[in-house]
């Protein structure tokens, strides 16, 4: 996902310039749209990952990561078959959303891999993206755009299978293993605490509404009493 983003920041401009005879300025504008999806898509992927972790534990995070990567690969391949500018832009936006959301989901898993070496793991994940971008860039240098995008999409789909091999101590895997008792208890305590906080907020809101209602009633009574005086 990270490699796809790095390559697309450059390849999108060249692609639109070459395949649709757009000026460099117009092609750059369309290329910017790809990166602009990052404004909301990456945080959305991380947010959904957090919510799935509450409901399903690590397995939820891993399934989200895998599904987003698969959808990313599929839409990249679909992008390679687009023949009109409008369809190319629409599909590009869709696969950009999947790409950025997958990155957010991936970083949702990173802190659990090693609590002592979280920074190293994060750096390793980022550097893996750079390696991927080099591979994809070689494809774009050796192949025409359509074949290069299909190669990139195929490699992304292949990379999604690596999720099956992710084994994090004390946490469930994608299809095997279970969260240990301590992890389950911590998740249940968090859910209970959130429920209590929501209940307290509702009680505070009800109390404020009650006070305001009573105050308005007193004001109305005072106004009526003042109007009744001779």
């Amino acid at each position: 996902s990270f490699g796809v983003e790095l390559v697309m920041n450059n390849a999108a401009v060249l692609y639109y310039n070459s395949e649709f005879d757009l000026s460099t300025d117009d092609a750059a504008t369309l290329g910017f749209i790809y990166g602009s999806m990052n404004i909301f898509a990456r945080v959305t992927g991380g947010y959904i990952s957090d919510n799935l972790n509450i409901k399903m534990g690590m397995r939820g995070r891993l399934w989200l990561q895998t599904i987003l990567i698969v959808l990313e690969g599929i839409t990249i391949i679909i992008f390679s078959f687009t023949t009109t500018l409008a369809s190319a832009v629409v599909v590009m936006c869709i696969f950009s959303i999947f790409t950025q959301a997958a990155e957010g989901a991936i970083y949702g898993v990173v802190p659990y891999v090693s609590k002592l070496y979280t920074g190293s793991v994060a750096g390793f994940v980022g550097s893996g993206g750079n390696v991927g971008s080099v591979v994809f860039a070689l494809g774009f240098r050796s192949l025409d755009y359509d074949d290069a995008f299909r190669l990139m999409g195929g490699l992304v789909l292949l990379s999604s299978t690596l999720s099956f091999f992710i084994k994090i101590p004390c946490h469930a895997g994608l299809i095997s293993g279970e969260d240990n008792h301590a992890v389950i208890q911590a998740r249940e305590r968090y859910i209970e605490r959130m429920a209590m906080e929501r209940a307290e907020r509702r009680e505070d809101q009800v109390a404020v509404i009650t006070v305001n209602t009573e105050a308005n009633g007193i004001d109305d009574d005072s106004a009526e009493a003042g109007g009744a005086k001779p």
Side-chain angles (χ1 to χ4, degrees):
S1 294
F2 299 98
V4 171
E5 180 183 4
L6 290 173
V7 168
M8 281 300 297
N9 288 334
N10 295 316
V13 178
L14 298 176
Y15 172 76
Y16 287 119
N17 183 270
S18 174
E19 297 297 310
F20 297 103
D21 296 323
L22 296 182
S23 66
T24 302
D25 290 342
D26 291 339
T29 300
L30 295 179
F32 168 77
I33 295 175
Y34 178 88
S36 66
M37 298 296 105
N38 203 9
I39 295 173
F40 68 92
R42 187 177 295 187
V43 68
T44 300
Y47 176 77
I48 297 174
S49 178
D50 288 341
N51 280 274
L52 287 176
N53 182 54
I54 295 172
K55 297 178 180 178
M56 301 172 58
M58 181 56 62
R59 181 163 291 156
R61 290 189 187 274
L62 293 176
W63 270 111
L64 176 67
Q65 168 186 298
T66 305
I67 290 170
L68 288 173
I69 293 174
V70 169
L71 291 174
E72 174 190 349
I74 291 172
T75 47
I76 290 173
I77 293 173
I78 293 174
F79 178 77
S80 70
F81 288 99
T82 56
T83 56
T84 65
L85 179 61
S87 62
V89 172
V90 170
V91 176
M92 181 192 70
C93 290
I94 295 172
F95 94 67
S96 175
I97 290 172
F98 288 139
T99 300
Q100 317 296 349
E103 292 172 2
I106 290 169
Y107 270 112
V109 176
V110 165
Y112 296 87
V113 176
S114 175
K115 293 184 178 180
L116 291 177
Y117 302 102
T118 301
S120 298
V121 175
F124 182 77
V125 171
S127 65
N130 292 333
V131 173
S133 68
V134 171
V135 174
F136 298 147
L138 291 174
F140 278 96
R141 287 178 62 88
S142 305
L143 305 170
D144 60 36
Y145 283 110
D146 291 342
D147 289 337
F149 279 118
R150 288 164 197 159
L151 171 65
M152 185 164 68
L155 291 176
V156 170
L157 286 173
L158 183 63
S159 71
S160 69
T161 62
L162 296 177
S163 295
F164 289 95
F165 302 99
I166 297 177
K167 304 295 182 183
I168 299 175
C170 303
H171 294 276
L174 187 67
I175 58 175
S176 63
E178 297 292 338
D179 292 334
N180 72 6
H181 187 64
V183 171
I184 294 173
Q185 281 189 325
R187 187 162 66 242
E188 290 175 346
R189 286 195 300 269
Y190 176 81
I191 294 172
E192 291 175 0
R193 187 170 66 251
M194 291 297 101
M196 291 176 60
E197 290 180 359
R198 284 194 294 269
E200 290 175 357
R201 285 196 296 269
R202 284 196 296 267
E203 290 175 359
D204 292 341
Q205 290 171 355
V206 170
V208 170
I209 293 172
T210 302
V211 170
N212 290 337
T213 302
E214 291 176 351
N216 290 334
I218 292 172
D219 291 341
D220 292 340
D221 293 341
S222 299
E224 291 176 1
K229 291 181 180 179

